[in-house]
Every structure is written in C-alpha cells, then in structure tokens.
Amino acid sequence: MKNLIINADDFGRHELINRAVEKSFRAGCLKSATIMAGGKFFDDAVEVAKKNPDLGVGIHFTLANGFPVLPPEKIPSLVTEEGIFHENYVVFLKKYFQGKISLGEIKIELAAQLEKVLSAKINLTHLHHIPGIIEICLDLAKTAKISKMRAANTKIFDGELNSFGKFVGRFGLSSLAKFAKYKARKKNFTTPEHFAGIVAGESVSENFLENLILNLHEGTTEVMLHPGTDNKILQNFCEWEHDFEEELNAVTSPKILNLLKEKNISAVNFNQI
C-alpha cells in the first residue's frame, strides 16, 4: 500500500497561508498541517481547523523565525532585543551549542505552546519537532498523548545545491532529522517511512509531485511544503523568497489529483498511519 501525506507547515503564521491550507484541503490532496501557537493568525487557523475537522493538525513547535507564546522577559535567552525569536535555526543552534540558550526556558516556552494549542480544543495528530531539541519535544508530546511525528529527512542533493553553505545547512538538518527519527521510534512514536520535499527553500512544483507519485515507494511518504495565496505579501511578511503560490497550485492541480486516483495512492493525514 502506498500513502501520501502532504503537510503544510506554518499554519497560523499568516491569514493567506491559512486560506491556502483550507483551499488545498477542500480542493486538493493536502490533508495535514502543522499549527504555530505563536503565529499572528493562530486564532484564524483554529477556525479553519474546526470548520474542516478531517484536516489533520499537528503542533509546529517553534523557537526561531517567529514569535514566542510566553512574555519575552520570561525567556530572555530565546529572544532578541525586539522580543522575537532569533532569525533562523542556524543562529539558534549556534547559540544553543555555545551554551547561550537556557534549556529551562526552552521547556517552559514549548510547554506554553502546547498548552495554547490544546486549550483551543484541537485534537493533535502529530508533532513537528525542533532541530536538535528532540527529547523535550517528545516528552511534551507524550503528555498530550501524541504518538506520531514528522521527520524532515530530506535528501541532501535534492533541488538546487549551488553553494557550500547550502550543502552544510542541508547536511546538518538531514543529520538532525535522522537522529530525531531514531529517538522517536525508540520512544514508540510512529513516523512515515519516507520523506520528500526540499527544506532549503525551493518550492514543491506540480512536476515534483508528478515525479514523486510515479516513483512512490511502498508505505507512507510525507511531503513538506508551505503553500500560500500571494507571493508578494507573504515573501515580505515572512522575509523569505519562497514560491508559496507554486506550491498551492501543485497540491490543487487536477493533474495530480487524477494521477493519485490512477495509481491508487491514498492522500492521508498522520491519524491514518
């Protein structure tokens, strides 16, 4: 049997991302999303989830490139002078390994993120862990009876690899994802057998999905993407030159939907594995 989980990250970050998630769920093959408790449009994402109860929603634990749930004064090592998280996980992990990040602050911030999502009465299907911070994420997930985890174990040479820095970054994230998957399975968490999608910024196109479906392995494959409805607004808001619209078009493409039916491949969420 072949299953495909297409999971949208950053649910709740912006209303145009939320609109894309809802459209992709209703008109396409996207059946899963990970919600950001600190997202500026978290409440709107909760409404989308409640209107679409078959959408699988996981928690997107976040410690970089976003906003904390706790007041900044309670977690000073996790935030900048502006009271927001550090700009990306490269900066965060560098500070973490230099001993400049408080483990205690990580625990209370992630616990607050989980509590905020649970208080919204969302039945969580899975967790999106944080690179290098797997133990705390798994322990918190256990308390909420979450037993599924996504592991973004991207292939190092997928997509463009046009700089040494990108290679190092992708190699590091891939290694952390492999370790996270190993730790999760030791603690009896279920993870998809395979992962597809590019974590270094390139978008998942219709051609990418077509090729993936035609060569899909047995078992469950997760595809990670970040769909949105307006590149100009989202690129400015997220400070990320990503093609959100291309990914939305890919997962709502009639060609892709027909190909899934033709190949007898099920589009599912984490509850179904």
Side-chain angles (χ1 to χ4, degrees):
M1 179 176 286
K2 297 179 180 179
N3 295 323
L4 190 64
I5 296 176
I6 297 183
N7 186 89
D9 272 358
D10 295 359
F11 190 33
R13 188 173 189 178
H14 194 281
E15 60 182 338
L16 298 184
I17 292 173
N18 297 348
R19 299 287 78 74
V21 168
E22 185 166 32
K23 181 177 180 179
S24 301
F25 172 73
R26 292 185 173 183
C29 51
L30 185 149
K31 306 299 180 187
S32 181
T34 43
I35 194 167
M36 300 174 73
K40 290 295 186 182
F41 295 85
F42 172 81
D43 291 339
D44 179 69
V46 169
E47 290 303 311
V48 171
K50 289 183 175 179
K51 284 192 297 181
N52 300 279
D54 291 332
L55 174 68
V57 179
I59 182 166
H60 188 316
F61 284 126
T62 306
L63 290 174
N65 189 227
F67 304 91
V69 168
L70 291 176
E73 59 269 19
K74 288 191 175 182
I75 48 168
S77 74
L78 304 184
V79 298
T80 65
E81 292 181 357
E82 292 76 27
I84 61 176
F85 289 137
H86 300 295
E87 60 186 290
N88 56 53
Y89 279 109
V90 174
V91 173
F92 170 80
L93 288 171
K94 181 178 180 181
K95 289 180 175 292
Y96 178 73
F97 290 121
Q98 289 175 338
K100 296 179 180 179
I101 298 289
S102 165
L103 204 59
E105 291 175 18
I106 290 176
K107 289 178 181 178
I108 62 171
E109 169 60 25
L110 296 187
Q113 291 180 20
L114 179 59
E115 179 57 32
K116 183 175 178 179
V117 178
L118 293 175
S119 295
K121 307 298 182 186
I122 293 177
N123 295 318
L124 293 172
T125 58
H126 64 289
L127 76 140
H128 172 142
H129 69 90
I130 292 171
I133 314 293
I134 185 60
E135 293 284 359
I136 294 174
C137 295
L138 292 176
D139 289 346
L140 284 170
K142 281 285 188 185
T143 67
K145 296 182 170 53
I146 300 169
S147 61
K148 314 286 177 66
M149 187 191 83
R150 60 187 306 275
N153 183 18
T154 187
K155 295 179 178 64
I156 295 173
F157 294 99
D158 271 358
E160 295 181 7
L161 200 61
N162 49 18
S163 71
F164 180 70
K166 184 174 283 191
F167 170 81
V168 171
R170 198 177 294 174
F171 178 80
L173 288 173
S174 177
S175 300
L176 290 171
K178 284 186 174 70
F179 179 71
K181 188 171 184 177
Y182 166 76
K183 297 292 288 186
R185 291 193 165 179
K186 282 202 70 172
K187 291 187 177 234
N188 299 315
F189 281 76
T190 300
T191 65
E193 288 90 348
H194 314 290
F195 177 83
I198 306 165
V199 298
E202 298 91 339
S203 57
V204 171
S205 65
E206 181 184 76
N207 287 340
F208 181 99
L209 284 182
E210 181 181 10
N211 184 64
L212 176 70
I213 292 167
L214 291 173
N215 297 281
L216 202 67
H217 298 292
E218 289 292 325
T220 301
T221 300
E222 181 203 344
V223 178
M224 177 183 72
L225 38 65
H226 301 75
T229 62
D230 189 308
N231 278 344
K232 185 176 180 180
I233 292 174
L234 289 172
Q235 287 172 0
N236 181 62
F237 181 84
C238 299
E239 299 181 347
W240 182 26
E241 294 298 318
H242 181 70
D243 197 338
F244 299 88
E245 293 177 38
E246 181 174 47
E247 296 196 325
L248 173 60
N249 293 335
V251 294
T252 56
S253 163
K255 181 179 181 180
I256 296 301
L257 293 172
N258 289 334
L259 189 59
L260 287 171
K261 290 178 183 177
E262 179 187 321
K263 298 298 180 181
N264 196 30
I265 295 169
S266 299
V268 301
N269 64 44
F270 280 84
N271 258 350
Q272 297 162 290
I273 65 172

